[in-house]
Amino acid sequence: MRISLWLSVLVAAGLFGWGAWQRRWMADDGLIVLRTVRNLLAGNGPVFNAGERVESNTSTLWTYLITAASWIAGPVRLEYVALALALGLSVAGVVLVMLGTARLYAPALAGRRALLLPAGVLVYIAVPPARDFASSGLENGLVLAYVGLLWWLLVRWSQARADTGPVLTAALAFVAGLSVLVRPELALVGGVALVMMVLAAAGWRRRLLIVAAGGALPVAYQIFRMGYYGLLVPQTAIAKDASGAKWSQGLIYLNNLNSPYLLWVPLVLLIVLAVLLVWARPGQTRTAPPGPAANRLARMLQNPTAAVVFIVASGVIQAVYWVRQGGDFMHGRVLLTALFLVLAPVAVIPIALPQRPGLTARTGYLVTGAMSLLWLAVAGWAVWAANSPGMGSDATRVTYTGIVDERRFYAQATGHAHPLTAADYLDYPRMRAVLVALRNTPDGALLLPSGNYDVWDVVPAIPPPPDKPRPPGETGPHTVFFTNMGMLGMNVGLDVRVIDQIGLTNPLAAHTARLEDARIGHDKNLFPDWAVAEGPFLKERPYIPPYLDEEWIAQAEAALKCPDTEAMLNAVRAPLGPRRFLSNVIHAMDFGSYRIDRVPLFELRRCGLEIPPPKTPEYTGLPATGP
């Protein structure tokens, strides 16, 4: 059994690692993480733009892991550090989940000859998005490693029962508590695991150990987040309104993952396999001596069956959460965690003659044969799915669903089969042109994307007074307003402010209302007039592009003086001292729920501010009066 297990682990890990390497790339969102790492290493703090405390990365732990690894790696490019970490953690997740499942079956297989074959992991690694996001620079690899480790520890804990030692208890609690730092929605997994442990624990000392081990780090970071960023959650959650609901779009997203691969087929096969495994296992005595209600509750929660129910239910809850949220614009990405969780109890399966009392040898061979055929069917599906064309001709086109195959999209747009570094993304439309525009505006400017991919529209910065010229060699302030913040942020200096209209890096855009019919993941859209209004830029013609409106800019400038808006922006822009930190902690919930109207005139009315008089009088048909 051990030999078959380790062969299965080597084969599955090797196939996944090889498949992920064949599809290696770095997502634009992965480069967003690296911009924050650059700022951390430069001493500017965990921010995207220096001087603006914005948490633009969803996974806190992923940001600091890359930072630590980069500090150790020294001169190695950040992109390669992230690639190595992502691939290594992805493969580790597959290994850990298989070892956890093998341990789940170990007691029933003691003294028996059996083959442990990869099953659920074959389904996972066969789905092309699983291999795409194993290297993307995003936290998917970290999530796999986290789920695998949690599952392995949970199985050990469930089998220990009353003999659970403090080391195992503390380790499982600590890992469960990390969930919210891996990704916020994983609190639905780790938090429930902690509740199970507390309810099953014997005595207040063990409960105190669980709470301390599981809660110390996430609670400490939460206090830091509230005081430093002025929010309860990362700004990405505010930008995407993570508590909102778009069920219809979520069902489209679910179908977008299922349809190309007929994912329901292996799930049905594995359900039948799981039923046969449960039905054919050796009979076990289920009676237990009566005892206090607390003991009965502990026995109910701390056992392998409860562990299986927990991990599968966690996967279902994750899937429902993302379907409710509306999914994502990246094909399959956010449902991969749910799939991995659901498949964990059948990551590997044992093929052995059943030993259930009452079964004849003939029946036992029939059951074993049926299980073998089911496994072969799963393996056959995996070979087919692994070579599937996926989304086909729609892979790189933004259709009505708003969903694309992100890896293929950027490979096509950059002309690189494996766009891995920020330099590779200089071949993306507009990227080389932005570097030219920055060099051509030494006095500072706001750069806006033009309809011509080789040109950026320039709004000049307000020049310094004639009596106070800039020192020689000093350039003026630069801001670039663009959707693809990762490739842009990694190809310009940290002195260049990079903001977007959807709110991942821009606190003003993040606090606008979500648009109902916009593309999922991009359903906020701040008008560029606001970028002109809030910066030190010339705000009238002929210095602004023709698609901007002087009146809107003036109204946006006035709207920025709304007291609540000023308070929200001061939370992330004003100097951070003890008073500001404490104020941010107190008001973090209010700042998170605060929304502005993206139309300046409506925002002025919402805030009850006076509307600036128009610069050009309205035409009334009456003759003009004046001297």
Side-chain angles (χ1 to χ4, degrees), residues 93 153 456:
L153 288 171
W456 284 76

Side-chain angles (χ1 to χ4, degrees), residues 362-435:
R362 181 179 179 182
T363 303
Y365 280 113
L366 286 174
V367 172
T368 300
M371 292 171 64
S372 301
L373 288 174
L374 287 169
W375 179 84
L376 287 172
V378 170
W381 172 90
V383 172
W384 169 79
N387 295 282
S388 165
M391 292 180 65
S393 59
D394 286 342
T396 59
R397 294 190 296 120
V398 182
T399 63
Y400 78 98
T401 68
I403 305 166
V404 298
D405 183 324
E406 192 85 343
R407 181 189 63 83
R408 290 170 62 184
F409 176 87
Y410 281 117
Q412 176 179 290
T414 62
H416 295 274
H418 305 288
L420 282 173
T421 67
D424 291 335
Y425 278 94
L426 287 174
D427 293 320
Y428 189 82
R430 295 193 175 96
M431 282 302 102
R432 293 191 188 276
V434 78
L435 300 183

Side-chain angles (χ1 to χ4, degrees), residues 109-182:
L109 297 174
R112 299 174 60 191
R113 291 184 178 181
L115 290 176
L116 282 171
L117 302 176
V121 292
L122 289 182
V123 175
Y124 183 82
I125 67 178
V127 178
R131 285 168 281 139
D132 286 348
F133 291 104
S135 68
S136 63
L138 295 167
E139 67 281 353
N140 291 72
L142 174 62
V143 172
L144 291 192
Y146 172 79
V147 170
L149 180 59
L150 180 70
W151 172 238
W152 180 71
L153 288 171
L154 186 68
V155 171
R156 291 193 60 187
W157 174 80
S158 71
Q159 292 174 338
R161 302 203 178 186
D163 300 327
T164 310
V167 174
L168 175 59
T169 300
L172 176 57
F174 178 77
V175 171
L178 284 180
S179 59
V180 72
L181 300 180
V182 176

Side-chain angles (χ1 to χ4, degrees), residues 567-624:
M568 180 268 292
L569 292 176
N570 283 338
V572 299
R573 293 176 180 170
L576 185 66
R579 287 178 61 113
R580 170 65 56 195
F581 188 94
L582 181 59
S583 174
N584 283 356
V585 170
I586 294 171
H587 297 102
M589 182 176 291
D590 294 332
F591 291 147
S593 61
Y594 182 65
R595 296 292 181 270
I596 66 172
D597 199 299
R598 69 193 189 110
V599 178
L601 178 61
F602 297 164
E603 173 61 11
L604 287 169
R605 290 173 178 167
R606 183 196 70 82
C607 204
L609 295 177
E610 185 177 346
I611 299 172
K615 295 184 179 181
T616 304
E618 274 187 46
Y619 175 72
T620 62
L622 300 175

Side-chain angles (χ1 to χ4, degrees), residues 69-133:
S70 300
W71 182 79
I72 294 169
V76 180
R77 289 188 67 113
L78 286 176
E79 294 95 323
Y80 297 144
V81 172
L83 173 67
L85 272 177
L87 286 172
L89 288 170
S90 295
V91 173
V94 165
V95 171
L96 284 168
V97 80
M98 294 177 74
L99 294 180
T101 305
R103 189 178 183 92
L104 178 72
Y105 297 131
L109 297 174
R112 299 174 60 191
R113 291 184 178 181
L115 290 176
L116 282 171
L117 302 176
V121 292
L122 289 182
V123 175
Y124 183 82
I125 67 178
V127 178
R131 285 168 281 139
D132 286 348
F133 291 104

